[in-house]
Amino acid sequence: MSKIFNVRLPNPGFGEVTTEKFDQLVRSLEQVIFQLNSTYTPQITEDNQSELDWFTGAMGMANRGVLEDYGDFAYGAFQDFTDQTQTVINTAKAITWDTTAYSKHISVGSPTSRIVFAKAGKYYIHFTAQLSSASSNAKTFWFWPRINGSDISGSTMRITTHDNNEAKTVARAAIFEVDKGDYLEAMWAADSLDTSLEAYAAETFCPAVPSVTLMVQGIDYG
């Protein structure tokens, strides 16, 4: 723990609080704050461990024991900027990813539908898709996750579009537990070929629109 040096505090005796005494107190507090900001080195104690965990991404005693060092947590942000379509109705198809915005210990595998985890643990995952309809008939989309090729029970998201050129964005968040080397896939199906996951080019007033996005954040490891 750092120490505070050469800070002169006002006389604590009782009496009238003058403007001069108040100004002296303010200057003394400014010196204390300056020295703390300049020289303080945090020490891990029972009282501040949770704050350090929040900053570094470490959570829990078991997790701290398996991390190589503080801050070595896993994350990833993935997108695709192509249109993705179906060739057969009511058939599962894996969504692919062509852009990695950020990643650490998580990566796009081969084939590019696979999101591969280099660290075992629990992960918060947020998925979005930009749906597009090419006819006025009702069309239903289904989305669900797979880990290592196996569907996750009770995880499907279903949505129906009705209008020609209709566009909708769907989103789902969940927590998954994986082992080192496991891979995640986002699957989709539709009951019409007049459907797509649509990407849009940049406009003069806004950036491009990805057809799908996936954000992954490790929350516990081991």
Side-chain angles (χ1 to χ4, degrees):
M1 180 68 71
S2 301
K3 296 180 179 179
I4 305 300
F5 298 99
N6 301 320
V7 176
R8 183 176 180 181
L9 296 174
N11 188 332
F14 295 101
E16 182 182 357
V17 178
T18 64
T19 301
E20 181 180 357
K21 288 181 179 180
F22 181 79
D23 290 342
Q24 183 183 352
L25 177 60
V26 171
R27 288 192 296 273
S28 299
L29 291 174
E30 288 175 345
Q31 293 178 51
V32 171
I33 294 170
F34 175 78
Q35 290 193 31
L36 284 173
N37 288 339
S38 301
T39 65
Y40 177 69
T41 301
Q43 303 296 314
I44 298 176
T45 69
E46 183 179 351
D47 293 332
N48 68 9
Q49 183 66 71
S50 60
E51 286 80 2
L52 290 171
D53 286 351
W54 185 87
F55 257 125
T56 60
M59 297 179 68
M61 294 299 295
N63 180 47
R64 291 194 292 273
V66 299
L67 285 177
E68 292 83 1
D69 55 66
Y70 279 102
D72 192 23
F73 53 97
Y75 56 84
F78 309 98
Q79 302 165 306
D80 190 80
F81 287 92
T82 64
D83 296 342
Q84 303 199 33
T85 59
Q86 293 284 354
T87 56
V88 182
I89 64 170
N90 299 326
T91 301
K93 186 175 183 179
I95 291 170
T96 56
W97 312 95
D98 68 1
T99 301
T100 299
Y102 303 97
S103 70
K104 186 175 183 182
H105 300 304
I106 306 171
S107 60
V108 176
S110 180
T112 58
S113 61
R114 296 183 178 184
I115 301 299
V116 183
F117 297 84
K119 293 175 72 73
K122 295 182 179 68
Y123 290 83
Y124 172 84
I125 296 174
H126 186 268
F127 166 82
T128 71
Q130 184 82 26
L131 314 186
S132 180
S133 165
S135 68
S136 58
N137 299 325
K139 293 166 287 297
T140 299
F141 297 73
W142 292 266
F143 299 89
W144 70 96
R146 282 182 178 174
I147 294 181
N148 298 333
S150 297
D151 296 336
I152 304 302
S153 177
S155 62
T156 300
M157 176 171 53
R158 180 181 184 275
I159 188 169
T160 299
T161 59
H162 300 275
D163 299 326
N164 188 31
N165 295 322
E166 182 179 0
K168 288 185 177 180
T169 300
V170 296
R172 172 66 63 85
I175 294 175
F176 297 104
E177 185 170 10
V178 299
D179 292 324
K180 180 178 180 179
D182 283 355
Y183 66 88
L184 169 75
E185 290 179 295
M187 309 300 297
W188 77 294
D191 64 359
S192 169
L193 299 185
D194 290 335
T195 57
S196 65
L197 308 182
E198 193 85 3
Y200 296 89
E203 304 285 354
T204 56
F205 53 83
C206 70
V209 179
S211 56
V212 286
T213 70
L214 188 71
M215 307 300 172
V216 185
Q217 172 66 63
I219 58 174
D220 195 16
Y221 307 102

